[in-house]
Amino acid sequence: MAGNLFHIITFGCQMNDYDSQRLAGLLERDGYFQTEEMEAADLILFNTCSVRETAEQRLFGWVWKIAPLKRKNPDLIIGICGCMGQQYGKEILKKLPHVDLVMGPRQIQQIGSLIREIREHGSPLVRTGFEDPYTHEDVVKREDTIKAYMSIMEGCNHRCSFCIVPTTRGGQVNRPFEDILQQAQKIAAKGYKELTLLGQTVDAWRSDGKDFSDLLKALDSLDGILRIRFTSPHPSHITQKVLDTIKDSSRICESFHLPLQSANNRVLQAMKRGYTLETYLDIIRRIRDYWPYAGLTTDLITGFPTETEEEFQETLSLVRDLRFDNAFCFMYSPREGTEAALMEGLLPLPERKKRVSELVRLQKEITLSRLKERVGKTYEILVEGPSNAKEGQLIGRTRDNLFVAFPEKEGVEPGHLAQVRILRTTAYVLLGEIISSEVS
């Protein structure tokens, strides 16, 4: 096994988690074995994200931290994969001279040949670019046995002024319709109960004359899959047809992560989001008309260049009114290569920090209040496995994506559906007891 142990460190979102699963699957196909002990690894890969500056700072800290491993084992290969690899390319080698491989997210399928080339020639490699990610077999090593991710599109055609994704992942590439169905059938045949569709703007998917709602309808008929989710949609593509398809389905969950970013139209226009506040509110209204307790989460950015205190207060007010189940709140930070980074009117760092702290405090209060409203009610839970927080507990989620923990019960296993009555709540997790269950 010497020379064939690999370790992957992942930064970022579900898409990056999925890309790491692809890297692991391809490496194991080539005879490598995954290890959790970084010191034992012969290959260490950092799968990176460039969306926020903090991820980059963490990466550089990690890579310098393992420099002694390289001195101890000169044959160790260190690779920077993903969005940072695409964004900075050979510049990474100047800043981190002990790195051997730099590659973008669309070079994942080449990982085996790139490692062989480095070992053969002994010199660093940089591979970036925007190749079609769906021209090769999709090999994925999934750690979870209940939930499976599946990419249906890559890249983004939107050009939000603050976002680096089009630069690091390229323009939108749609996975072919039949290819998606075939892999979904394989996932179902392996016993997975939940399927999450992934894409930078997942609801913008189009292929073979079909749109996202057509794809959802086709996947809803899959035998074996109990629940279907998707992330992350762009509000511009949540059509009435999409909502009607979800309403008429049995497996697609009533859970929507709809990034708002700001509640002020001037700021939205400066962000180049492509919708108005009124359009966004109309989508929310239609969702809640269909499902009063639909799962609703969002992304919000505070302190965007030239954002006034009054405009920030509009965002706070809207968050109070809409009462999202949760919101991912970010302080604006300039990203090199984006239009917003060149804008005048960057707010002082203390002001940006103050605003995001205020927003986070508000959302925490709302999240707890929303959870308390669930106490005393009963929900269908897909059992995902043992809870990490407490021995003897299981964990699962409602259809609208709330986490629920409950005591183990004889005959109830991961993958089963259980009716769980909610007894109380913590700040983020509902606590309940099983009323009944069924084997799926």
Side-chain angles (χ1 to χ4, degrees), residues 67-187:
L69 297 180
K70 182 75 169 181
R71 291 193 292 270
K72 183 178 179 181
N73 177 16
D75 293 328
L76 170 65
I77 292 178
I78 298 173
I80 308 295
C81 312
C83 292
M84 277 190 66
Q86 176 64 40
Q87 184 178 7
Y88 295 114
K90 63 180 65 175
E91 293 298 316
I92 289 179
L93 299 181
K94 296 177 183 178
K95 297 179 179 179
L96 301 167
H98 56 296
V99 166
D100 304 282
L101 171 65
V102 177
M103 57 180 263
R106 293 202 185 178
Q107 282 69 51
I108 287 176
Q109 291 284 349
Q110 302 175 30
I111 185 63
S113 62
L114 293 176
I115 296 300
R116 286 190 292 272
E117 188 174 345
I118 292 171
R119 294 206 183 280
E120 182 177 348
H121 298 289
S123 56
L125 280 180
V126 177
R127 289 287 190 275
T128 57
F130 299 119
E131 303 162 16
D132 187 339
Y134 300 121
T135 57
H136 308 279
E137 181 184 2
D138 199 10
V139 180
V140 185
K141 180 190 177 184
R142 296 182 172 90
E143 300 290 346
D144 199 301
T145 59
I146 304 300
K147 310 188 299 288
Y149 296 144
M150 180 176 68
S151 170
I152 67 166
M153 55 88 71
E154 173 80 17
C156 182
N157 286 343
H158 291 271
R159 290 295 182 268
C160 300
S161 61
F162 58 84
C163 185
I164 198 68
V165 166
T167 300
T168 58
R169 287 190 176 264
Q172 180 174 328
V173 178
N174 299 301
R175 191 172 188 177
F177 178 75
E178 290 299 330
D179 188 20
I180 294 172
L181 291 188
Q182 288 174 12
Q183 188 180 10
Q185 289 165 354
K186 291 178 182 178
I187 289 171

Side-chain angles (χ1 to χ4, degrees), residues 305-373:
T306 74
E307 180 191 61
T308 66
E309 176 64 27
E310 182 180 359
E311 290 166 340
F312 169 63
Q313 290 298 326
E314 290 176 15
T315 296
L316 287 178
S317 178
L318 188 74
V319 168
R320 291 188 189 96
D321 290 342
L322 292 186
R323 291 173 55 78
F324 295 105
D325 291 294
N326 204 352
F328 300 91
C329 307
F330 304 102
M331 175 191 73
Y332 172 76
S333 59
R335 309 305 297 126
E336 182 182 347
T338 65
E339 183 179 337
L342 303 176
M343 291 180 177
E344 297 181 355
L346 179 64
L347 275 63
L349 181 60
E351 179 62 25
R352 284 181 279 150
K353 287 184 175 180
K354 180 183 78 68
R355 291 185 186 183
V356 75
S357 296
E358 188 173 351
L359 182 59
V360 168
R361 283 196 300 271
L362 172 62
Q363 183 56 53
K364 282 184 176 179
E365 294 173 2
I366 295 171
T367 296
L368 181 58
S369 175
R370 294 277 292 171
L371 290 173
K372 287 180 177 178
E373 293 171 5

Side-chain angles (χ1 to χ4, degrees), residues 22-37:
R22 293 173 62 205
L23 285 165
L26 290 163
L27 287 168
E28 290 198 347
R29 187 182 65 177
D30 283 356
Y32 283 79
F33 301 87
Q34 192 161 9
T35 177
E36 295 304 315
E37 298 179 12

